[in-house]
Amino acid sequence: MIIKAMIFDLDGVLTDTAEYHYQAWSALASELGIPFSREDNEQLKGVDRMGSLDFILAKGGLRLPEAERQRLADNKNRHYQQLIETMTPMDLFDGVTELFATLKARQIAIGLASSSKNAPMVIERLGIEDAFDYVADAAKIAKGKPHPEIFLTVAKALGVHPQEAVGVEDSLAGLQGILDAGMHSVGIGDGRVLQDAEWVYPHISAMELDKVLWVKNGERSERGVNCSPPP
Ligand code: B16
Ligand code: MG
């Protein structure tokens, strides 16, 4: 099977918006008198907005009516949007521009599967909106990560079979979505956390594209970052 598409998560893979999410959730948690640490924020990676709010409310033992939950989520989002207004192409992770250029040259489609409803604004700020052949609309995804829906939606829109796609994720929830979609997987981050990914790199700039794209008879001949390069 030939790899025809690479489908990227945004936050934590192409740029670091996690810090802005942290600042906005932290301000909200503090208003509510709920302790919220960076470790807590790690657990929210890939989790959608209301799911993230519910995690914080549960931590504080708070149960609130729907209208109040919505108001809090809107406040957090406004704060988050103010923070990402400051982003520029300098915030794109090293290696992404070169990676996209190589994929284009090899005619491998590029998709975006971000849970964030702010993804269009972030990719515009980063100056990469034209690089994508398809960008998922998070507002139209019924089941968030770890459900595979967003990855399957992007693969379908790109016209590729899941087995012809490689998904790239930094969160455990997102990786689970890629695996359940039946795609090949690259984890960006800690190999002990993302141990079920076929390939794990500490940073996107470290990705060994030739190895990742090398699939033999639909199966990789070996697993892991120490795999021999293609003959
Ligand atoms: P928003 P990704 C995710 O983006 C973030 O990792 C997660 O922390 C955030 O809560 C989620 O987007 C929703 O974001 O509130 O902007 O819609 O990693 O899937 O690119
Ligand atoms: Mg992410």
Side-chain angles (χ1 to χ4, degrees), residues 9-13 45-46 145 169-171:
D9 172 50
L10 177 62
D11 184 5
V13 169
K45 284 187 176 174
K145 300 169 187 176
E169 258 288 352
D170 70 314
S171 74

Side-chain angles (χ1 to χ4, degrees), residues 1-5 7 152 155 160-167 178 181-185 198 213 215 217-220:
M1 192 80 73
I2 291 169
I3 297 297
K4 294 182 181 164
I7 301 176
L152 292 171
V160 302
H161 190 278
Q163 286 178 6
E164 298 171 324
V166 177
I178 293 172
M183 292 178 182
H184 295 284
S185 54
E198 281 166 272
L213 294 180
V215 181
N217 299 326
E219 298 288 337
R220 301 205 182 278

